[in-house]
Amino acid sequence: MEAVVFVFSLLDCCALIFLSVYFIITLSDLECDYINARSCCSKLNKWVIPEMIGHSIVSVLMLVSLHWFIFLLNLPVATWNIYRFIMVPSGNMGVFDPTEIHNRGQLKSHMKEAMIKLGFHLLCFFMYLYSMILALIND
Amino acid sequence: MSAPSGSPHATAGARTPPRPGVAVAPAALASSGPAPARQNGPAQSQMQVPSGHGLHHQNYVAPSGPYSLEPGKLASSLPDGQCNDYYSGLYTLPAQKVATPGAASHTGAQQVYCGGPPAPPLLGTLPGPVPGATVAASHMHTSASQPYPSFVNYYSSPTIYTASSSAASQGFPATCHYGVSAVSNAVHPSVSYSSLPPGDPYTQVFTSQSALATGPGRKGSFPGQNAAPSRPSALAAPLPPQHLQQQSLAGYSALSWSVPGLPPTQDKLIRNHSGPLASASSSPANPGVDSSSTTSSASPVPNSYDVLEGGGYPDMHSSSASSPAPDPVPEPQPVPTPTAPQSAKVAKPFGHSYPALQPGYQNAAAPPTSGVQPGAVPYAAFQQYPQQYPGVNQLSSSLGGLSLQSSPQPESLRPVNLTQEKDVLPPTPIWAPVPNLNLDLKKLNCSPDSFRCTLTNIPQTQALLNKAKLPLGLLLHPFRDLTQLPVITSNIIVRCRSCRTYINPFVSFIDQRRWKCNLCYRVNDVPEEFMYNPLTRSYGEPHKRPEVQNSTVEFIASSDYMLRPPQAAVYLFVLDVSHNAVEAGYLTVLCQSLLENLDKLPGDSRTRIGFMTFDSTIHFYNLQEGLSQPQMLIVSDIDDVFLPTPDGLLVNLYESKELIKVLLNALPSMFTNTRETHSALGPALQAAFKLMSPTGGRVSVFQTQLPSLGAGLLQSREDPNQRSSTKVVQHLGPATDFYKKLALDCSGQQTAMDLFLLSSQYSDLASLACMSKYSAGCIYYYPSFHCTHNPSQAEKLQKDLKRYLTRKIGFEAVMRIRCTKGLSMHTFHGNFFVRSTDLLSLANINPDAGFAVQLSIEESLTDTSLVCFQTALLYTSSKGERRIRVHTLCLPVVSSLAEVYAGVDVQAAICLLANMAVDRSVSSSLSDARDALVNAVVDSLSAYGSAVSNFQHSGLIAPASLKLFPLYVLALLKQKAFRTGTSTRLDDRVYAMCQIKSQPLVHLMKMIHPNLYRIDRLTDEGAIHVSDRVVPQPPLQKLSAERLTREGAFLMDCGSVFYIWIGKSCDNNFIEDVLGYPNFASIPQKMTYLPDLDTLSSERTRSFVAWLRDSRPLSPVLHVVKDESPAKAEFFQHLVEDRTEAAFSYYEFLVHVQRHICK
């Protein structure tokens, strides 16, 4: 059973890693002026909810399967994702707003955030991998 | 020198455009601007440049092939798809070329270069006034004289560009001929200024040659404005010798000349012109002695001028919007000091750049440098110039300069104890500080009306900037109405190959074949074609080309800069006709204005126009030519809007003019009996977008209430009980993203939406404004509009509409701002969409739009002494020409904190802070924004106190450059946008914020801190002459009730509104002479005009008010406010230095700041 949990988490984590990489690539495209702000933001906004859900599922799964440490590790990031989504002002077009992304260094902070998440997900990935192997051996 | 010989034919273009050069197409150079640059005489070129923009010295390069888009990226990006979104596939035909020379006219004044008198500038015989000095004269004059011919064209353009003004504004001075000519003209007009105070500050300021310039004599002479008579004598006599020498020197001469004479003149001109003045009368003046003396032997020239012009002087009245006050008031002192040192510094890079040049040049270059050197300065400089300044005046002036230089601190650093200084506000208007550059650069630099930086001395590192605690940013007014603008038609537009910067006066020429970009330092080749200067018909002097002689130029762009054929002007009016709208009666005003201005709408024969009205349904009007009367088509499906007919909704203005007139006459009465109270604004806008998306253009939306149906409907969010809350002000941001999305769609299709909100109750401007904010439109708001109950609003609407409908407009524009490597832009303010890091997408651009940009210093600037900023605005004119307007600003880099403080431009800083505060209030909260404003004062003053000032006073010490900072911040805190505790309607507050974001600096400053004048005792003392009127110049009063006396009458200029406050015991003579009523009691409560009475005081008052009005695009509404009338609250809320129930007085604010500093 535990193995199944970790296999699922591993897959989910892979998806999140890809998503982070996609965010980074798209944002850096914007930085280099390969795409315009509007298309960049509409691309990214599409993935904000899937990312939030994907991450919340893993967190909840860890809570349910009583892996406290991993749950606590995931909690801040999951909270941040939800907070960010809820706090979007009503007039904005999503977490990434094309009219503001070039202002006040928002682009840089989005980029930084995506980098941090990538690092975090990589860490999680190896943790899940280790736990999964451990679980398989124990089985 | 070769140049000189080469006559400056103005005509170059026309005549022989032989070499590759820029073809200045015949008409090409628009108003003169460019022309000047090409002057032949080297001399002038260097010095002359007027402060404003000038030309620049030497550098020139030839461009290489055509570069593509200015916004460069556009073109390139296309492939990438970047553009795709925006320009959907329309681009096909690049071919359509825009610009033929002829077309140029559109700028207003295009000049054609007519075949000017070819005469070589050199020694012309100058019949002129200065016989004795012929030679000399000739030199000087040469430049001058020649110019005339060439210039002739300049003026051709009528209205807007006044000769004088033009000269001034653009500062073409550089090259002699053109510049000169321009100048001369200008000068003449300026002559009228004789009344200027002798020691006119301006001259000093601008002329970099501080030493020389300063002298009193000089002022008189150069400026020409002052005592005309004096000049001739002074100049004439001395000059001859000099000239001779100079001639021998060739290159030299030019410099020298230019130095003394030109700069000042130009400066003046500039100043003056920039002002409303625009003097019309100039042409006649020309012959006048002065001018000739100054610039030279103009006299001969003039004739040619007239002849050439053909058109004669067009109307001179240009009132350039820029600065109201003609006279320059700058502080004299600062100038000299800074200059000297600086020039030394600066000179190196630039001065030396021309090794390859002919000897003549080098010589020329040398003097300035040496002159500048700090040590030797005084005398050395003097010696160098002796020839030039033979006159005693000059001597004294140079000496004066010396003494100033020796003083330890520039005026702008003088510590001021704010708590003890009663009157911080100077009695004269405040001018932008002049960057501390050497003379050449100063004259070449961009006019502060178009381009300002909050710090005129850029700190070397971000650490230094952080220490100073001052905001760093630019304030732009890129499309402002200019009286003179060099327009360049050339096959090639020379740009840096790596950063795509346009060649500008601040590049350096490594040799004749290569130039070094001043932004990225790449070395570029000079294209062959650029080596030829069509104006002078000389070859091998790329640095004389107008692009390198003027910091504000306009290029006629080739098809490389087009993604599709230039669009025609398209105007669509979307009108609310619900019950509420009909009741307010705006349709009558609008239709009347439209009928009156239909022929003046900017555009060419392709201009199209359309109308839509809406209430709960959407009504289209088929105006197809051939119909007997307009056909109304109603679409009631507002959930899925469609266009009822594919064509006929947007029709050619000229072909369907009759139908349009019929419709406009019928519209006001068509809906009089409507009972429909709903408003389907959202669907109407969607329909407008569909209608406009194939072409792009301008949509004018008139709305009178909260949209209540269909997409984009809004709820009332204002709680009237919270209006005067001191706590939280909510709902400053939009309630929905509908309008933002729509605006972005529009922006992508090159459509701008302008919003006119005429409502009597809350209409959620915060949400509605988004449609204009992101589509580069503009916003007008008329609270409690009613055409009969509120006549002043109706009058305002009418005036605004007149300006709105007839002002210049640019379509499918993009603006790119570039800055020297090491600096970066991080936040933009204004109405536009930021498409990529430095590219602003502007579906429309209008002359009343201002922008602000925040900068940060990413890399240390230690290895450079100058930084440059360039904005390039690529747009399609209403005549279907693709044009690029380029402004370049150059500023020095400094390494000490004291110098940073010395260079603060407090007005620019306050405007930038206001923009930042608006952002903060929307993204965070109003109280955060207010705290941030107060902290800006506290931080900067405490940083100054601890780092720079050695004084241990108990008072609040600020450098002179920042002495107005606390006052302005206090004014900002009491502004509608940021005030708390005073009842402020949410829409009013949001509108004030919108204005802060989109107004150019000149208008914004009046809004923040109005000007108050006492007008019951106007005298001619210090008056200026504008065209044939005498305009009194009363001193500014501080905004405090203590200055209002019951015996007086005061005029407050708030930018968009004037108040005349009449004291209770005001002299009955004044009331009778000016207002036309026998006594105070008989003045009506609502009086909005000054009667045309034939008395001296009435004439003075009216000419003063008219002069203030002319200085701005929107003509303000005048309110006469009686003391003790209920309307006086409106007036008193602008007295920012006084205490109110909810806010500090100025003194209390200072104490508050001081307490914070001590903490």
Side-chain angles (χ1 to χ4, degrees):
Chain A
M1 185 58 207
E2 187 149 307
V4 179
V5 168
F6 283 110
V7 170
F8 178 80
S9 305
L10 202 61
L11 292 177
D12 194 281
C13 194
C14 282
L16 289 173
I17 289 172
F18 281 117
L19 210 51
S20 299
V21 172
Y22 175 73
F23 274 48
I24 291 170
I25 292 174
T26 314
L27 288 170
S28 62
D29 277 357
L30 179 64
E31 224 170 15
C32 308
D33 220 359
Y34 292 137
I35 56 174
N36 71 60
R38 191 117 198 249
S39 54
C40 170
C41 293
S42 64
K43 276 183 186 177
L44 297 185
N45 282 332
K46 249 188 298 188
W47 291 102
V48 168
I49 295 181
E51 185 200 14
M52 190 173 71
I53 293 174
H55 200 238
S56 310
I57 288 178
V58 186
S59 310
V60 172
L61 199 63
M62 290 302 148
L63 177 65
V64 172
S65 58
L66 302 179
H67 292 91
W68 292 103
F69 176 72
I70 298 178
F71 169 72
L72 290 177
L73 198 67
N74 273 299
L75 192 61
V77 180
T79 316
W80 167 249
N81 277 340
I82 294 167
Y83 171 81
R84 184 177 69 153
F85 182 75
I86 292 173
M87 293 310 286
V88 173
S90 55
N92 278 15
M93 294 166 64
V95 172
F96 298 89
D97 189 285
T99 58
E100 293 184 1
I101 196 159
H102 285 296
N103 274 3
R104 298 186 294 273
Q106 279 200 11
L107 185 54
K108 272 185 197 149
S109 59
H110 283 310
M111 187 72 128
K112 209 184 290 169
E113 186 187 315
M115 289 287 198
I116 292 172
K117 278 189 192 158
L118 177 64
F120 172 78
H121 291 313
L122 281 174
L123 177 74
C124 288
F125 177 82
F126 290 110
M127 225 152 52
Y128 298 149
L129 190 66
Y130 173 78
S131 308
M132 183 190 74
I133 294 170
L134 213 62
L136 286 175
I137 293 172
N138 288 346
D139 279 354
Chain B
M1 286 320 287
S2 56
S5 53
S7 54
H9 303 347
T11 57
R15 289 193 171 178
T16 36
R19 291 199 179 164
V22 174
V24 173
L29 304 187
S31 35
S32 60
R38 293 89 171 280
Q39 193 159 5
N40 33 357
Q44 299 224 353
S45 58
Q46 308 216 340
M47 322 293 305
Q48 309 184 343
V49 176
S51 54
H53 321 4
L55 11 139
H56 173 307
H57 15 345
Q58 6 292 2
N59 315 333
Y60 237 100
V61 174
S64 48
Y67 289 98
S68 26
L69 322 175
E70 112 82 13
K73 295 200 167 176
L74 280 182
S76 54
S77 53
L78 257 185
D80 299 340
Q82 187 180 7
C83 295
N84 293 336
D85 291 340
Y86 291 94
Y87 305 90
S88 39
L90 312 178
Y91 309 117
T92 37
L93 316 180
Q96 303 226 349
K97 204 206 195 125
V98 178
T100 42
S105 53
H106 124 283
T107 343
Q110 301 254 359
Q111 325 162 336
V112 176
Y113 285 124
C114 318
L122 288 179
L123 302 182
T125 54
L126 301 173
V130 185
T134 50
V135 176
S138 61
H139 264 8
M140 305 194 58
H141 304 334
T142 15
S143 51
S145 59
Q146 300 184 351
Y148 280 39
S150 50
F151 279 64
V152 174
N153 296 328
Y154 276 69
Y155 298 92
S156 57
S157 65
T159 44
I160 303 195
Y161 297 137
T162 323
S164 56
S165 52
S166 55
S169 59
Q170 305 281 359
F172 296 142
T175 30
C176 327
H177 304 357
Y178 289 99
V180 173
S181 56
V183 172
S184 56
N185 289 332
V187 173
H188 299 308
S190 42
V191 173
S192 53
Y193 286 157
S194 49
S195 57
L196 289 179
D200 184 348
Y202 280 119
T203 41
Q204 301 183 353
V205 175
F206 283 100
T207 49
S208 49
Q209 311 209 350
S210 53
L212 298 175
T214 347
R218 170 203 203 208
K219 293 171 183 175
S221 57
F222 286 119
Q225 345 248 341
N226 292 343
S230 61
R231 296 188 174 174
S233 59
L235 291 177
L239 291 181
Q242 297 182 354
H243 287 283
L244 292 175
Q245 297 186 356
Q246 292 188 355
Q247 287 203 344
S248 57
L249 293 178
Y252 214 89
S253 56
L255 286 180
S256 51
W257 297 103
S258 54
V259 173
L262 293 178
T265 6
Q266 299 207 347
D267 295 346
K268 286 253 177 150
L269 290 176
I270 294 182
R271 280 317 175 117
N272 297 337
H273 298 308
S274 51
L277 299 187
S279 55
S281 50
S282 53
S283 55
N286 256 337
V289 178
D290 332 336
S291 54
S292 55
S293 63
T294 340
T295 346
S296 64
S297 54
S299 54
V301 175
N303 301 335
S304 53
Y305 198 169
D306 292 342
V307 177
L308 291 176
E309 277 199 353
Y313 244 175
D315 135 17
M316 325 253 334
H317 265 71
S318 53
S319 49
S320 52
S322 47
S323 30
D327 355 2
V329 181
E331 321 124 282
Q333 297 188 346
V335 176
T337 337
T339 349
Q342 247 195 352
S343 44
K345 252 193 229 159
V346 177
K348 282 188 187 160
F350 285 89
H352 298 300
S353 52
Y354 310 113
L357 297 178
Q358 296 121 343
Y361 282 108
Q362 296 184 346
N363 291 336
T369 329
S370 57
V372 182
Q373 309 244 348
V377 177
Y379 266 73
F382 193 46
Q383 307 239 345
Q384 303 251 5
Y385 295 78
Q387 311 144 353
Q388 308 178 350
Y389 307 97
V392 177
N393 310 337
Q394 281 142 6
L395 241 174
S396 62
S397 63
S398 61
L399 290 174
L402 275 176
S403 63
L404 284 175
Q405 293 184 352
S406 58
S407 82
Q409 271 189 328
E411 160 67 18
S412 54
L413 269 184
R414 182 174 55 86
V416 177
N417 189 340
L418 292 174
T419 44
Q420 282 167 17
E421 181 140 332
K422 275 268 190 288
D423 288 319
V424 279
L425 196 69
T428 50
I430 298 127
W431 292 94
V434 178
N436 189 9
L437 295 165
N438 74 14
L439 193 47
D440 294 352
L441 296 181
K442 209 176 259 184
K443 275 179 290 179
L444 288 167
N445 225 345
C446 195
S447 154
D449 292 324
S450 307
F451 210 152
R452 270 167 96 160
C453 183
T454 56
L455 302 178
T456 55
N457 293 329
I458 303 286
Q460 233 170 25
T461 59
Q462 181 72 35
L464 189 59
L465 177 62
N466 292 343
K467 242 190 253 171
K469 305 275 188 194
L470 290 165
L472 176 59
L474 301 173
L475 285 118
L476 307 170
H477 191 182
F479 201 58
R480 143 184 113 84
D481 291 322
L482 289 170
T483 46
Q484 188 193 20
L485 172 70
V487 177
I488 297 167
T489 306
S490 169
N491 298 336
I492 43 167
I493 295 174
V494 182
R495 301 176 62 182
C496 172
R497 291 183 78 91
S498 73
C499 66
R500 314 299 296 150
T501 298
Y502 294 82
I503 194 162
N504 60 69
F506 311 105
V507 302
S508 45
F509 282 83
I510 292 171
D511 54 38
Q512 281 201 339
R513 289 289 175 184
R514 288 180 301 163
W515 61 278
K516 190 171 173 190
C517 175
N518 52 338
L519 267 58
C520 68
Y521 308 117
R522 185 190 203 274
V523 175
N524 294 277
D525 293 335
V526 177
E528 181 63 29
E529 215 178 327
F530 202 71
M531 296 295 289
Y532 175 73
N533 187 337
L535 279 192
T536 58
R537 299 169 70 188
S538 58
Y539 185 79
E541 290 177 341
H543 54 284
K544 297 278 177 55
R545 303 240 330 176
E547 297 94 318
V548 187
Q549 296 289 353
N550 297 284
S551 61
T552 296
V553 295
E554 189 155 291
F555 295 97
I556 308 276
S558 67
S559 55
D560 296 338
Y561 292 78
M562 297 170 197
L563 293 166
R564 60 175 183 178
Q567 70 166 81
V570 182
Y571 305 108
L572 176 65
F573 293 85
V574 179
L575 314 173
D576 180 1
V577 293
S578 60
H579 178 75
N580 202 4
V582 173
E583 175 64 27
Y586 81 89
L587 279 173
T588 323
V589 180
L590 171 68
C591 293
Q592 197 54 43
S593 295
L594 259 174
L595 281 170
E596 281 164 16
N597 296 302
L598 212 50
D599 295 325
K600 298 183 204 149
L601 283 177
D604 55 13
S605 60
R606 301 180 297 158
T607 305
R608 294 164 76 195
I609 191 168
F611 296 89
M612 283 170 52
T613 53
F614 66 94
D615 42 32
S616 62
T617 56
I618 301 169
H619 323 133
F620 295 86
Y621 296 88
N622 186 346
L623 299 168
Q624 190 67 275
E625 191 190 7
L627 291 175
S628 57
Q629 61 174 27
Q631 198 177 27
M632 182 169 167
L633 306 161
I634 300 179
V635 173
S636 53
D637 181 5
I638 55 170
D639 295 327
D640 182 19
V641 185
F642 59 93
L643 298 182
T645 161
D647 46 32
L649 299 179
L650 277 177
V651 293
N652 187 294
L653 176 61
Y654 300 98
E655 290 167 2
S656 304
K657 189 170 272 179
E658 288 315 309
L659 282 177
I660 293 167
K661 285 184 176 166
V662 171
L663 176 64
L664 288 176
N665 283 316
L667 261 183
S669 52
M670 266 165 79
F671 299 93
T672 38
N673 297 318
T674 184
R675 290 168 180 279
E676 188 55 73
T677 53
H678 283 295
S679 160
L681 177 67
L685 294 178
Q686 288 173 327
F689 168 66
K690 282 191 179 158
L691 194 51
M692 295 298 278
S693 53
T695 51
R698 181 175 80 187
V699 180
S700 313
V701 181
F702 289 78
Q703 170 71 5
T704 60
Q705 58 174 320
L706 210 56
S708 55
L709 276 184
L713 72 93
L714 298 168
Q715 312 291 337
S716 178
R717 296 188 290 167
E718 186 187 34
D719 176 1
N721 299 326
Q722 296 292 311
R723 278 181 192 162
S724 55
S725 149
T726 50
K727 287 169 268 161
V728 188
V729 178
Q730 286 177 309
H731 308 310
L732 293 172
T736 161
D737 63 358
F738 172 81
Y739 295 97
K740 189 186 258 190
K741 278 183 177 153
L742 186 79
L744 294 182
D745 290 337
C746 285
S747 172
Q749 298 300 328
Q750 308 298 350
T751 304
M753 299 223 175
D754 295 340
L755 174 66
F756 288 79
L757 185 62
L758 315 108
S759 66
S760 43
Q761 50 201 321
Y762 178 73
S763 303
D764 203 352
L765 184 61
S767 302
L768 294 181
C770 286
M771 73 169 95
S772 303
K773 266 185 198 165
Y774 302 109
S775 66
C778 44
I779 300 160
Y780 295 87
Y781 176 53
Y782 304 88
S784 49
F785 179 89
H786 195 284
C787 71
T788 50
H789 299 168
N790 195 345
S792 67
Q793 287 286 20
E795 185 191 348
K796 186 165 187 306
L797 174 65
Q798 192 190 354
K799 286 178 170 170
D800 286 357
L801 278 174
K802 182 168 183 235
R803 163 74 181 170
Y804 174 76
L805 295 172
T806 55
R807 70 188 176 190
K808 231 180 125 169
I809 184 169
F811 296 100
E812 41 184 5
V814 286
M815 181 162 78
R816 196 180 285 277
I817 303 163
R818 298 183 171 87
C819 48
T820 298
K821 203 168 71 177
L823 292 170
S824 75
M825 290 158 292
H826 60 89
T827 303
F828 301 88
H829 304 276
N831 290 351
F832 49 68
F833 171 50
V834 189
R835 201 152 73 200
S836 70
T837 43
D838 56 351
L839 182 69
L840 310 182
S841 162
L842 302 158
N844 284 181
I845 177 78
N846 68 69
D848 305 329
F851 303 92
V853 186
Q854 285 171 249
L855 296 168
S856 59
I857 302 169
E858 303 232 305
E859 297 166 31
S860 161
L861 300 168
T862 38
D863 48 356
T864 177
S865 60
L866 297 172
V867 294
C868 290
F869 305 94
Q870 186 172 73
T871 61
L873 176 70
L874 172 65
Y875 68 97
T876 300
S877 74
S878 52
K879 303 273 188 263
E881 273 183 315
R882 204 76 174 132
R883 286 172 168 243
I884 309 164
R885 186 174 292 186
V886 179
H887 301 275
T888 313
L889 177 72
C890 178
L891 296 172
V893 175
V894 298
S895 55
S896 81
L897 202 53
E899 289 171 291
V900 174
Y901 281 110
V904 182
D905 179 344
V906 70
Q907 293 193 324
I910 209 75
C911 290
L912 185 66
L913 279 175
N915 275 297
M916 293 160 66
V918 171
D919 271 7
R920 179 72 75 91
S921 358
V922 175
S923 66
S924 177
S925 73
L926 192 65
S927 54
D928 266 15
R930 289 171 57 88
D931 290 346
L933 286 172
V934 176
N935 286 338
V937 179
V938 172
D939 291 348
S940 58
L941 295 187
S942 68
Y944 172 78
S946 60
V948 179
S949 151
N950 311 320
F951 298 77
Q952 295 297 325
H953 284 285
S954 56
L956 186 62
I957 307 296
S961 59
L962 274 179
K963 68 178 180 181
L964 293 172
F965 196 39
L967 175 61
Y968 284 158
V969 168
L970 178 67
L972 209 48
L973 292 173
K974 293 185 176 182
Q975 229 282 328
K976 266 188 191 158
F978 303 113
R979 70 187 182 190
T980 54
T982 310
S983 177
T984 310
R985 300 193 320 154
L986 190 53
D987 278 348
D988 288 348
R989 190 188 291 281
V990 171
Y991 180 60
M993 291 185 171
C994 293
Q995 284 197 300
I996 288 174
K997 291 279 258 182
S998 61
Q999 296 259 336
L1001 184 139
V1002 263
H1003 305 150
L1004 187 51
M1005 274 320 296
K1006 289 219 184 66
M1007 201 178 118
I1008 295 172
H1009 190 273
N1011 290 339
L1012 182 67
Y1013 307 93
R1014 177 162 190 176
I1015 54 164
D1016 62 326
R1017 291 180 194 162
L1018 293 178
T1019 64
D1020 283 345
E1021 191 186 333
I1024 55 168
H1025 297 253
V1026 180
S1027 51
D1028 54 346
R1029 285 182 316 192
V1030 178
V1031 180
Q1033 297 289 294
L1036 284 179
Q1037 307 281 336
K1038 72 177 187 175
L1039 292 172
S1040 166
E1042 87 186 43
R1043 288 301 171 89
L1044 301 177
T1045 64
R1046 289 189 167 190
E1047 293 78 35
F1050 292 82
L1051 171 71
M1052 183 186 282
D1053 170 9
C1054 306
S1056 59
V1057 59
F1058 287 158
Y1059 296 101
I1060 291 182
W1061 181 86
I1062 308 289
K1064 207 171 166 190
S1065 353
C1066 182
D1067 187 7
N1068 280 344
N1069 290 334
F1070 175 81
I1071 295 179
E1072 190 170 349
D1073 289 352
V1074 176
L1075 301 176
Y1077 291 94
N1079 54 43
F1080 180 78
S1082 57
I1083 303 172
Q1085 290 289 351
K1086 286 186 178 176
M1087 186 175 175
T1088 56
Y1089 68 99
L1090 288 180
D1092 209 355
L1093 300 177
D1094 191 21
T1095 59
L1096 184 61
S1097 50
S1098 168
E1099 200 172 295
R1100 279 180 182 151
T1101 313
R1102 280 182 292 114
S1103 83
F1104 180 60
V1105 172
W1107 173 74
L1108 289 175
R1109 263 192 185 144
D1110 287 346
S1111 68
R1112 70 205 71 204
L1114 294 179
S1115 104
V1117 177
L1118 180 98
H1119 293 278
V1120 176
V1121 179
K1122 288 166 72 175
D1123 192 12
E1124 294 178 354
S1125 83
K1128 79 171 184 179
E1130 277 282 297
F1131 175 80
F1132 278 90
Q1133 71 176 0
H1134 293 291
L1135 297 175
V1136 297
E1137 295 198 23
D1138 291 338
R1139 187 165 200 287
T1140 66
E1141 289 161 22
F1144 291 132
S1145 71
Y1146 178 58
Y1147 185 78
E1148 288 169 327
F1149 183 67
L1150 290 178
V1151 173
H1152 176 74
V1153 169
Q1154 197 179 352
R1155 206 180 310 129
H1156 274 276
I1157 290 178
C1158 295
K1159 259 186 212 164

